[in-house]
Amino acid sequence: QVQLVESGGGSVQAGGSLRLSCAASGSISSINLMVWHRQAPGKQREMVASIMSGGSTHYGDSVKGRFTISRDNTKNTVYLQMNSLKPEDTGNYYCHAVMRPGFSSNDYWGQGTQVTVAS
């Protein structure tokens, strides 16, 4: 099993920055991909950024150039640095671990952390 705990959410003015953290524990070595998603009220969940076990990253079009995903393997933590925040970035941000094929479960989710960007 894998446990994911997000932190770092909060309220910020437009143009500000926040850094989210996702601390993972359990079967860390079986994680293939870590993803940050977000969901705003009344909207579908959206992929924000992802990082492969090999280090390659991918970003949603709406956050390219503003958000950066990274990880610290010594702390088993994935980060999402969010700069130049906009009101439309408001939502609940979830950490998602996609496991390697053959693992007992396909994926795990964190509980989420709320980000609110005021105009």
Side-chain angles (χ1 to χ4, degrees):
Q1 282 203 349
V2 170
Q3 295 77 40
L4 303 172
V5 179
E6 301 100 332
S7 61
S11 297
V12 65
Q13 293 290 320
S17 298
L18 283 173
R19 189 178 78 158
L20 306 183
S21 299
C22 174
S25 60
S27 301
I28 306 299
S29 61
S30 295
I31 296 175
N32 191 34
L33 174 70
M34 292 290 290
V35 189
W36 283 100
H37 303 265
R38 68 186 180 191
Q39 187 165 20
K43 294 187 177 181
Q44 286 192 331
R45 189 170 61 207
E46 174 188 14
M47 192 286 291
V48 175
S50 65
I51 185 165
M52 293 287 295
S53 56
S56 60
T57 60
H58 180 74
Y59 296 92
D61 288 342
S62 62
V63 306
K64 283 180 182 176
R66 299 188 298 123
F67 290 11
T68 303
I69 189 170
S70 63
R71 68 182 185 205
D72 184 339
N73 291 333
T74 65
K75 298 181 179 179
N76 296 327
T77 299
V78 172
Y79 302 99
L80 184 68
Q81 178 67 43
M82 306 186 295
N83 298 328
S84 302
L85 283 162
K86 304 176 181 179
E88 51 264 43
D89 294 318
T90 294
N92 207 2
Y93 283 68
Y94 297 91
C95 185
H96 177 208
V98 180
M99 309 307 288
R100 299 184 190 280
F103 195 74
S104 57
S105 180
N106 289 332
D107 58 1
Y108 295 90
W109 290 82
Q111 293 297 308
T113 185
Q114 178 67 33
V115 171
T116 302
V117 184
S119 58

